[in-house]
Amino acid sequence: MKKAKSGGFTLLELLLVIVISGIAMGFIYLSVANVSSSAARRAATEMNYAISRCRSGAVSREGFACLELSVGTQGEILCKYYENGALAEERELGGSRVTVSLSVDEGEKPLTSAAPLYLSFERGTGAESTLNAAAERMGKANSYGGGYCSAITFSGGRGSYTVEIVASTGSHGIQG
Amino acid sequence: MRSNTKGFSLAELVVGIVIFGVISASALGFLVASTNTYGSLSANMNMRMEAQLAVNQISEYLIDCNSGVYWYDSTKSLCVLRTDGGSTTAHVFELNCESGELLYGKGEAVYRNGAYEYSVSPADLLVDNAVGFDVALISNDGEGISCAVIELKLETRGKTHTEERTIALRNKPEGKNIL
């Protein structure tokens, strides 16, 4: 026994050390990834991109472009992009852990599974359309008041992130 | 020789770890470089898109301008007066040099003593990262402004993009470049 151990480390010992450090690194990576890119932040980033796409669609095309933000059957957050009433892109922004709150003219309102939010932008000027106008063009009902949506906040797990929209110009960005 | 037969010595291990470290450091270098390239390319594309979109928005107001257009060079401010169904609205675009924001605001303009009077302080963000905004109003035949040249300069991550466009004004409104 003494003679066998005296020469140095065996391959088995080395492998054990590498596996243990591998597992430790895995845990470190997971916790870092969670902080740097939480579900809420990812959802807000995707929403910001969706608004960019909808807005440039609205400014450049003959028809109208519209976003539908809704809560799915499993509580997941869905964002659909329509061009002239036809579905052009669908994305899942986040799972059921992410909740969405809307800043509309009447104040803060949660996004509910019963009523999707319809967002649209004016052709030419790129300004935000009123929520009523956006829903009406889609042939749907609007349950979030007749004014403008000035912010969409995604919360869940670690912190919350907000996509802010300037109604008169349509410019938008992420805060938080 | 006999001591090498049973396992790795500490010296061998250290050499192995150092070689591994050098190789992974160079691999990481490539990874970081390509991530940076991707980041700056997408930021650059985004900036160009934003500049185009902002100039599109301004031209939308300019094209149908019918009651006057004024460029104030000292404040980097463009005022577009538009009359629709009896009431006149002043649309003002102004560059805030300190914050790098191109701002938009509108308000009612009243015709008094042969000129429009309005009081608008632009506060709504149109586009961020703006470092330059210049407009030249051109009158070809002396009967009002026939076209406007817009120059918008954006800057992100040390790269700049200048979007320049000449817009023909349909209604040839009166106007002036005020230095």
Side-chain angles (χ1 to χ4, degrees):
Chain A
M1 211 35 204
K2 198 181 162 207
K3 202 174 138 238
K5 290 277 170 190
S6 65
F9 305 103
T10 67
L11 190 61
L12 201 69
E13 288 167 335
L14 270 181
L15 279 181
L16 197 69
V17 168
I18 292 173
V19 167
I20 290 173
S21 61
I23 291 172
M25 278 182 186
F27 276 110
I28 291 170
Y29 169 76
L30 280 183
S31 57
V32 168
N34 245 333
V35 171
S36 68
S37 172
S38 71
R41 180 179 171 159
R42 214 175 53 234
T45 311
E46 295 246 350
M47 187 69 212
N48 198 32
Y49 276 125
I51 293 174
S52 284
R53 172 152 193 209
C54 180
R55 204 163 145 248
S56 46
V59 170
S60 60
R61 280 184 184 71
E62 281 300 315
F64 81 97
C66 186
L67 283 181
E68 181 195 85
L69 187 65
S70 60
V71 181
T73 47
Q74 263 89 50
E76 74 275 22
I77 312 298
L78 296 170
C79 181
K80 294 176 184 161
Y81 171 57
Y82 292 90
E83 271 175 9
N84 290 319
L87 183 65
E89 192 178 350
E90 183 176 354
R91 275 169 189 244
E92 192 179 317
L93 300 188
S96 53
R97 290 192 304 125
V98 178
T99 55
V100 184
S101 152
L102 310 165
S103 294
V104 291
D105 284 7
E106 285 83 7
E108 289 282 319
K109 284 189 180 181
L111 182 74
T112 62
S113 54
L117 172 77
Y118 293 96
L119 270 185
S120 182
F121 295 87
E122 296 295 320
R123 204 172 83 77
T125 62
E128 190 184 343
S129 306
T130 61
L131 297 179
N132 272 342
E136 198 179 302
R137 284 177 204 160
M138 288 292 291
K140 297 281 166 52
N142 163 39
S143 343
Y144 297 99
Y148 298 98
C149 177
S150 60
I152 306 171
T153 303
F154 296 86
S155 324
R158 299 156 202 264
S160 63
Y161 294 85
T162 302
V163 180
E164 289 184 345
I165 310 168
V166 181
S168 70
T169 62
S171 94
H172 55 96
I174 300 176
Q175 309 285 324
Chain B
M1 274 310 280
R2 200 175 63 96
S3 68
N4 274 347
T5 56
K6 297 297 175 189
F8 300 104
S9 75
L10 188 61
E12 287 170 335
L13 268 182
V14 168
V15 170
I17 291 170
V18 166
I19 293 175
F20 176 76
V22 169
I23 293 175
S24 48
S26 57
L28 193 73
F30 279 113
L31 199 73
V32 168
S34 55
T35 313
N36 281 345
T37 312
Y38 172 76
S40 74
L41 276 181
S42 76
N44 206 358
M45 284 237 311
N46 216 20
M47 176 175 73
R48 282 162 186 265
M49 207 189 76
E50 293 219 323
Q52 270 183 16
L53 211 58
V55 173
N56 275 351
Q57 286 177 274
I58 299 171
S59 19
E60 189 67 24
Y61 291 100
L62 270 174
I63 286 174
D64 287 326
C65 162
N66 51 16
S67 302
V69 53
Y70 301 94
W71 167 246
Y72 301 90
D73 198 63
S74 54
T75 52
K76 298 289 175 198
S77 168
L78 173 73
C79 175
V80 179
L81 294 165
R82 207 166 138 180
T83 306
D84 248 337
S87 69
T88 304
T89 311
H91 302 273
V92 181
F93 302 88
E94 191 174 293
L95 176 70
N96 183 335
C97 295
E98 279 159 34
S99 64
E101 290 172 330
L102 184 61
L103 301 168
Y104 166 76
K106 69 174 175 180
E108 202 187 336
V110 184
Y111 195 73
R112 200 175 288 150
N113 303 328
Y116 283 100
E117 283 177 14
Y118 56 88
S119 161
V120 180
S121 43
D124 298 342
L125 181 67
L126 183 72
V127 66
D128 220 345
N129 303 317
V131 289
F133 178 52
D134 279 293
V135 178
L137 303 170
I138 297 161
S139 169
N140 282 335
D141 46 12
E143 293 176 25
I145 303 296
S146 52
C147 69
V149 182
I150 305 181
E151 206 182 284
L152 176 66
K153 192 174 178 188
L154 300 190
E155 182 183 298
T156 33
R157 296 195 185 196
K159 289 219 171 99
T160 57
H161 172 71
T162 307
E163 183 79 16
E164 196 184 315
R165 203 175 304 170
T166 306
I167 296 144
L169 276 63
R170 284 186 191 141
N171 302 310
K172 299 199 175 177
E174 59 175 284
K176 225 191 272 180
N177 295 298
I178 298 147
L179 298 175

